[in-house]
Amino acid sequence: MAERSFANEVQELRLGAGAEFRGEGILAVTKGLLQSGVAYVGGYQGAPISHLMDVLGDAHEILEELDVYFENSASEATAAAMLAASVHYPLRGAVTFKSTVGTNVASDALANLASGGVLGGALIIIGEDYGEGSSIMQERSHAFAMKSQMWLLDPRPNLTAIVDFVEKGFELSEASSTPVMLELRLRSCHLHGSFITRDNKRPPFTLKEAIENPQRDVSRVVLPPSSFTHEQEKVKDRWPAAVKFIQENELNEFVAEKDQNIGIILQGGLFNTVNRSLELLGLSDPYGNSQIPLYVLNVTYPIIDQEVLRFCEGKDAILLVEEGQPDYIEQNINTVLRRAGDTTALHGKDLLPVAGEYTPAAVTKGVTAFIQKYLPSKINSENLPAIVFDNDDPRSPFAPRVAPELVQGRPPGFCTGCPERPIFAALKLAEREVGSHIVSADIGCHLFSINAPFNIGATTMGYGLGSASGSAFNAKDSDKRTIAFMGDGGFWHNGLTSGVGNAVFNENDQLLVVVDNAYSAATGGQDVLSSRAEALNRSTNHPIERAVRGIGVKWSRTMTNTFKVAEMRDLFKEALTTKEKGPKVIVAQSECTLNRERREKPARAKKIKEGKRVVRERYGVDPETCTGDHSCIRISGCPSLTIGPNPDPMRNDPIATVLDSCVGCGLCGENAHAAALCPSFYRTEVIYNPSWWDKAKLGIRQKYIGWLQKGIEKQLVGIDAA
Amino acid sequence: MTVTNSPVSAASITPSSSARPLTMAILAMGGEGGGVLADWVVAVAERNGYFAQNTSVAGVAQRTGATVYYVEMLPKSGDNPEQREPILSTMPTPGEVDIVVASELMESGRAIQRGFCTPDRTTLIASTNRVYSMPERTAMGDGRIDSQGLIDAGKNSAKRFIRADFNKLAIDNRSVISASLFGAIAAAQVIPFTREQCEDIIRGGGKGIEASLAAFDAGFNAALASERPVVELTIGSRPPEVEKSGPTAEVLSMAINNPSELVGPRLTQCAERIHSEFPEQARYMLVEGIKRCAEYQDVKYAEQYLDRVARVTQVDSTPDNKLTLEAARYTALWMTYEDTIRVAFHKTRKVRFDRVKEESRASDAEMVQVREFLHPQIEEITDTLPTPMGRWLLNSKPFQWLVFKITNKGIKIQTSSVWGFTVLYLLAKLRPLRRRSLRFGIEQKRIDNWISMLVSLAPGNGELAYQVCLCQQLIKGYGDTHANGLRNFTEIIDYIPTAEKSPDPANKIKELRGAALSDETGKALTVALGRAL
């Protein structure tokens, strides 16, 4: 079950023509797919398109009514390969994943798909995880579009444009026999807005019809000699067809085209940012009525030579606003101008940052510099936006007003009650005894181990590649082994073969820890093969240990409760010292707390309401005995275990304290034991609707304890002022 | 700008400039309700004739980390007769944000650092509670940053600065911070919607509506109060707004002039000694010290404590008698070292039972049980036994085995049960035996050595004695933590003769103490001591 449910929102997907749809970008994309008559959809979750997968999952009834097939692909490669259904049949298909990382994984299938071309429209919806909030390396998906020749759409960030481009994307794909990539920027996915709907369309040709009427055309298979033919087809047939379609359908936009002797060319996705910059300079308004000519590239690949030349005609200079590097579009447009002998000056990365996100600040500075150079009369220097001033100018919003040491970084970390935290606490304790090791990390929540307080993990090479990235450290003459981490998501994505299989085959002696929290948790709690819950339309409950034993691992243990820190620590020590050869695999299994609490909190509340006996647990720290050394925090880092003022008038250091947000996971108590920390921790158990037996015990206890406590206080009489 | 208490209707408010969207950045930690707040703001805008857009970044980047939610809105009527959909930005522009909402004080600093909060435009609404960052929490001593600095930064960086502990207001009303902050946003009246219009949005929501409305109300009122002009009662600088724990002025003056009033009859003599023998600056600390020692052991122990500090006072020539003050603090803390008896004593007291119950937020219909997590090491058991027996058992193989078997996996004791309470009660009752225990002897010797060290250093170099005195801070915690601290302390003490040869010995000791506190593994101290790792 995913972290967020869209069960209510998906009902909006049924809206017919002419209604107003309000909601998030990802819902709009789904509606766009249904309006396009899509026949099948697949994908792999990952921010920022995780919720697109969740929406599709929650919309299964609507999809079934419309004969649309949806699957949660095993990986992005699986999703991309799924598009093979559009090679020989007039079937519209869409897949979605996070990019560039997902596109990296998918690129083998995508390259083959793009070589042979498609008959039915093939749309690849990529969530471009770039800029603030991104969790991956900063690269551009543009390169994939260029190398395999797939068209790249980067529409303006508003829901109407996004929905239109879903539909136009299919048409463009069919018109040019080429897969089309639709780029959704990080913030567009969670953009709240509205658009006017059209009717949903049932696919005119269905998967069932395809299965019952098999077709083949050997010229579409990537094998010589066809592969050489494909390369020629790409430039001779498909490219011109795409250019024609893009021009005829006016996918790119011209604004105030002939108004000035200068102009700005921009990626569609940056339209709102550029417009805001012009607004701040008094050169546009909130409705996009720019006084500066704009050429908006809603299609960023291919570049339409004729349109570029048309826009540059009669202009002295152009500013290209192209985010990220390398500057593929700038190079392309320079070539176009040079070949045509056009002398218009082209500016881009000389006035704008070479690398990094094009924030309103970056764009405004660049646009201002450009206009000041060519059209200074248009700028009112009395009324410049604050952002254009240097940081040391008091008018600048960045003029130092807060001491830098007062604002510390706050990177993401493990949630309160996360079952992965004790795994790293245990490893930290084990390493105190058996020394430090090379630790290869993977992708997933467990990667938070690299930060304080655990500081565990040295590399991360990609999803499911934790084990593989330790494979070189296989020196037979060392008596130390290496440790690798992998999540259950990465394990099923590819880690079983790329990591475990590889380690078995090459007789690697490493310890692999598979963090099995029952979901692909980092991406929003989607089910995987080893999920323990029964899932609708999906087969779950396939244990990881069985899989690794099946592939040849001899030493494998499943730890079903990661919170048993001492046992976990001892298991690490055993795995790091056992004489057994070959990979050692520990499956560290406890359910993701976010998911568990989401399920159990309402259930608990219901039981309490019904008058049933319920025990709620939370932890606490005694302020009298806590000495404020914080060693408990240094092996936990739990957001609910924090510091607070020391009530002891003689002590200066803050004491440890447990916040109300504590979910009673038990780690504090386990750590206190395993690390022999301090006796200050206690667990409070609140019993709702106590039984008669509870009440009877309580009566006796209160009398007995109350009597003894009176005695204690008596001893102290005369020490403190009355 | 003054804010009145009377509700203002939406129609009477004009947007800040004709066709400029209103912009709002919400800085919060992932999972803290920033998204809910942004959704409420969008909902109230859309329902009342505005186009509104909000964006955020989701996914793993959000798990407990700092994150920004961004909202823009523009009226549908007025300047836009065509009712066209406006082009709104998905990211805040530094210098162009009308309202910044920070769910926590350091996040308000982040908003300032990122240029979202500027003096010419921004209304800053900040909750003054702290959610401590990882470095603040994991520091071995006090790693907290200065909250007053953040409040001052807010004052210098915002056109209006509305601040209150909105988190506490939410908790007091059994709600979450998004609700109290929404109330503050409504009160600030930068977005042109009435209180009722905002409350209607909450009413249209799902669960916890009553609690949300109560927190909204508390936030609304706190925001108004926050901007009301303060009548200056005192001349001179205003007191800092960040609460500092510590004694009141009244208690301090009593400690200086008549310390007997702060203690019970059994300690009157000691208190009189404080008044006659010790400098004013240390008297409050000494009063706390004698109570602590008497509670820990007996009145005689409190007298011993004063004898020890008196030795230091006689040679103290530091400014403000800071050496005596810190000696008063650290001698008491050392003399009341954490042993099993002390832990058992505090765990069984009535005040503790009351506090645990209060903290659990259990009603009277519910029952509260308490379970302790104890992991006594063999030393902690032998420490409390009479010296010869303790020493013998510490080296006894069968005893070691027995203790390991019993305590290896830790012991959980339910203090709220008859049996569990009895065990801890009896342990606390061992107090009279403490004086004859193994550890007591060892600790008294260590304390006297340290006092003698201070006494020998103080006449020649008061500052050095002061720095050595502060090193006692390193000895704290239990088990390994205590052992590590003691080891660091000893290493620094042993280094004093070497330090004395350097140009600034006091500073060297300060540096070493800082190194010991900066790194749990002890590597930083080793480096600072000039030794190879």
Side-chain angles (χ1 to χ4, degrees), chain A residues 272 276 408 625 630 653 673, chain B residues 72 88 133 139 375 476 478:
Chain A
N272 292 24
R276 175 56 50 85
Q408 297 173 337
T625 51
H630 316 139
D653 293 335
H673 274 163
Chain B
E72 289 204 350
L88 300 173
S133 69
H375 195 127
K476 56 182 176 181
Y478 301 77

Side-chain angles (χ1 to χ4, degrees), chain B residues 191-247:
Chain B
I191 58 168
F193 309 110
T194 63
R195 173 180 185 150
E196 290 70 28
Q197 286 168 331
C198 293
E199 285 173 328
D200 282 347
I201 299 300
I202 296 182
R203 281 197 194 94
K207 49 199 173 171
I209 293 174
E210 284 314 309
S212 294
L213 286 173
F216 178 97
D217 178 64
F220 188 93
N221 292 326
L224 292 184
S226 146
E227 285 196 311
R228 235 171 255 144
V230 179
V231 183
E232 302 282 344
L233 291 174
T234 50
I235 299 165
S237 65
R238 276 173 60 183
E241 290 161 82
V242 180
E243 274 184 52
K244 289 260 186 318
S245 53

Side-chain angles (χ1 to χ4, degrees), chain A residues 26 36 55 162 245 255 286 310 336 395 445 606 611 675 710-711:
Chain A
I26 36 130
S36 308
V55 166
I162 291 170
F245 181 92
V255 179
R310 173 187 141 189
V336 172
R395 290 170 294 177
C445 293
K606 191 164 163 257
K710 258 187 209 142

Side-chain angles (χ1 to χ4, degrees), chain A residues 262-265 316-322 327 330 333-334 337 344-352 358 366 369-371 373-374:
Chain A
I262 59 167
I264 299 175
I265 302 180
D316 299 335
I318 296 294
L319 175 69
L320 173 67
V321 185
E322 177 193 12
D327 56 348
E330 193 168 332
I333 292 180
N334 263 318
L337 296 176
T344 308
L346 178 67
H347 294 278
K349 302 264 177 211
D350 53 342
L351 296 178
L352 287 153
Y358 276 10
F370 175 67
I371 295 177
K373 188 173 164 97
Y374 289 97

